[in-house]
């Protein structure tokens, strides 16, 4: 019998689960956070887990930075943030070893200072490790947030985030022990090697009614081309994507080949700090996110950056 539509079951693949909640009026609320967590908790069929059934391939959520929440929790530890978007929040996965962790923190502070950024302080992220499976708990990083003030003369939003991008990429090339989950004045990512129901339970920040956002993007990982890890969970800082890019090797090689001749008026003198653009150890979704982030930080509008990454059909 001839097919009546374009669907063909031979093209079925197991891939990641994604979802988003957006308030189109830009009104921030905790309900947006809760609704997004509910979405990811229903994506168990799009989430890989180990044979024990207690460690997941990875789950995460991208949110707007909640000034209401962070102003309160930083006041409690004597960090003065200033006004909304006058500061950035970085989410870091540090080594559990105290000496290596302190070395990494010091290195980031030095790099931030060289880039004209002032680190206001650090916060240990409240969590519940008891909800984790054995494998996830054994490799769990030390999770901390860093607060950075906006330099004078740097505009809020993209201009500030561009300086943060350069500092992050410079640090990532200088330190192999630490993973920067997110570093932005606008968004933040909470993620880890969880089962879908454990994201909410692990991070106490996400349970706080003061945490409000108008945007929430969730990702439930189904590892296909890479092994699970804390770092590879929710690999998105800018987009959300469910994987299965068949031309990933060619795409990454083409980007690498262009790096010697790439220029941008927005990254004058900084290009050597941000290349290689694509993390060769990342998943296909992570590499796509790397590319889009670079294009936007180089001055390209996000809609155009997305369009040029979509291959044209002959």
């Amino acid at each position: 019998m001839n097919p009546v539509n374009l669907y063909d079951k031979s093209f079925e693949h197991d891939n990641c689960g994604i979802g988003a909640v957006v308030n189109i009026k830009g009104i921030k609320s905790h309900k947006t956070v809760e609704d997004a967590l509910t979405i990811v908790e229903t994506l168990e069929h799009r989430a890989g887990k180990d044979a024990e059934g207690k460690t997941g391939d990875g789950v995460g959520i991208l949110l707007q930075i909640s000034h209401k929440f962070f102003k309160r929790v930083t006041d409690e530890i004597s960090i003065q943030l200033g006004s909304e978007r006058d500061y950035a929040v970085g989410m870091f996965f540090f080594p559990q070893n105290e000496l290596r962790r302190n070395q990494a923190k010091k290195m980031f502070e030095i790099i931030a200072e060289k880039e004209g950024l002032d680190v206001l302080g650090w916060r240990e992220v409240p969590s519940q490790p008891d909800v984790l499976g054995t494998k996830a708990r054994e490799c769990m990083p030390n999770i901390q947030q860093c607060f950075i003030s906006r330099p004078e003369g740097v505009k809020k939003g993209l201009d500030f985030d561009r300086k943060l991008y350069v500092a992050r990429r410079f640090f990532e090339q200088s330190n192999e022990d630490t993973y920067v989950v997110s570093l932005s004045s606008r968004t933040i990512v909470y993620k880890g090697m969880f089962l879908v129901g454990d994201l909410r339970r692990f991070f106490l920040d996400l349970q706080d009614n003061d945490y409000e956002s108008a945007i929430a993007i969730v990702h439930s990982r189904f590892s296909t081309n890479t092994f699970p890890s804390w770092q590879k969970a929710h690999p998105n800082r800018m987009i959300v994507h469910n994987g299965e890019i068949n031309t990933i090797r060619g795409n990454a090689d083409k980007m690498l080949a262009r790096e010697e001749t790439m220029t941008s008026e927005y990254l004058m003198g900084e290009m050597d700090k941000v290349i290689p653009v694509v993390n060769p150890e990342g998943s296909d979704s992570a590499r796509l996110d790397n590319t889009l982030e670079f294009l936007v930080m180089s001055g390209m509008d996000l809609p155009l950056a997305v369009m040029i990454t979509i291959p044209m059909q002959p």
Side-chain angles (χ1 to χ4, degrees):
M1 185 172 65
N2 294 327
V4 295
N5 53 39
L6 297 177
Y7 173 77
D8 188 330
K9 66 179 182 180
S10 66
F11 293 118
E12 285 281 357
H13 296 281
D14 286 322
N15 52 7
C16 306
I18 58 175
V21 180
V22 179
N23 185 295
I24 60 174
K25 295 183 179 179
I27 300 173
K28 296 181 179 181
S29 70
H30 186 64
K31 187 176 186 303
T32 299
V33 181
E34 292 223 333
D35 287 348
L37 291 171
T38 300
I39 288 175
V40 82
E41 287 164 357
T42 62
L43 289 174
E44 188 172 3
H45 62 296
R46 288 299 185 191
K49 55 186 174 183
D50 68 347
E52 185 186 18
K54 295 183 179 179
T55 297
D57 282 0
V59 181
I61 185 169
L62 181 148
L63 299 165
Q64 288 179 302
I65 290 173
S66 173
H67 181 62
K68 179 180 180 180
F69 171 78
F70 283 113
K71 184 72 170 64
R72 193 198 80 212
V73 297
T74 52
D75 281 347
E76 295 170 357
I77 54 177
S78 301
I79 296 177
Q80 303 301 315
L81 292 184
S83 304
E84 189 169 11
R85 294 203 177 182
D86 277 333
Y87 62 91
V89 184
M91 184 78 87
F92 285 74
F93 284 172
F94 285 114
Q96 286 288 358
N97 180 277
E98 184 177 5
L99 175 60
R100 289 163 56 200
R101 179 167 68 249
N102 289 337
Q103 288 174 337
K105 289 172 73 172
K106 186 63 177 178
M107 179 174 288
F108 178 77
E109 290 171 354
I110 291 172
I111 288 174
E113 184 179 1
K114 286 183 177 180
E115 296 301 320
L117 301 168
D118 182 23
V119 174
L120 300 173
W122 298 87
R123 171 184 180 246
E124 191 114 15
V125 179
S127 62
Q128 294 278 18
D130 291 345
V131 308
L132 299 175
T134 302
K135 291 180 182 177
R137 192 162 54 247
E138 287 176 348
C139 61
M140 174 184 163
N142 177 274
I143 307 173
Q144 296 195 30
Q145 289 165 342
C146 178
F147 300 90
I148 301 171
S149 62
R150 179 172 61 88
E152 290 187 17
V154 175
K155 295 180 181 179
K156 293 183 180 181
L158 184 57
D159 285 0
F160 184 17
D161 277 6
R162 186 174 286 117
K163 288 191 69 68
L164 296 165
Y165 171 70
V166 172
R168 192 198 88 216
R169 294 294 295 123
F170 193 7
F171 172 73
E172 287 171 341
Q173 296 181 55
S174 307
N175 186 280
E176 296 181 353
D177 290 338
T178 300
Y179 174 78
V180 186
V181 181
S182 61
L183 178 60
S184 172
S185 64
R186 298 179 289 178
T187 60
I188 188 170
V189 174
Y190 288 82
K191 71 176 188 177
M193 285 179 67
F194 312 128
L195 300 177
V196 292
D198 291 340
L199 175 62
R200 185 199 303 261
R201 297 167 60 204
F202 182 82
F203 286 114
L204 302 186
D205 288 2
L206 301 179
Q207 302 175 27
D208 197 305
N209 288 328
D210 280 347
Y211 202 105
E212 299 177 342
S213 178
I215 297 171
I217 296 173
V218 290
H219 180 274
S220 173
R221 188 156 191 260
F222 196 111
S223 298
T224 52
N225 59 355
T226 53
F227 287 110
S229 71
W230 281 80
Q231 292 85 348
K232 289 184 173 68
H234 189 93
N236 311 293
R237 298 185 179 100
M238 183 160 288
I239 61 168
V240 62
H241 183 264
N242 71 341
E244 298 297 337
I245 300 176
N246 296 324
T247 57
I248 187 65
R249 179 70 63 84
N251 294 346
D253 287 347
K254 285 181 179 180
M255 178 61 76
L256 181 63
R258 288 171 169 81
E259 287 182 356
E260 289 189 7
T261 58
M262 289 191 301
T263 60
S264 167
E265 62 179 294
Y266 297 95
L267 295 172
M268 293 293 289
E270 311 280 12
M271 196 65 72
D272 61 319
K273 299 175 184 177
V274 303
I275 58 175
V277 172
V278 176
N279 177 7
E281 302 299 321
S283 64
D284 44 5
S285 295
R287 298 187 209 186
L288 175 61
D289 193 81
N290 293 160
T291 303
L292 283 169
E293 184 180 37
F294 171 77
L295 293 174
V296 171
M297 295 304 170
S298 298
M300 187 175 293
D301 290 337
L302 179 59
L304 178 58
V306 172
M307 288 177 64
I308 69 171
T309 60
I310 301 173
M312 297 292 292
Q313 295 296 322

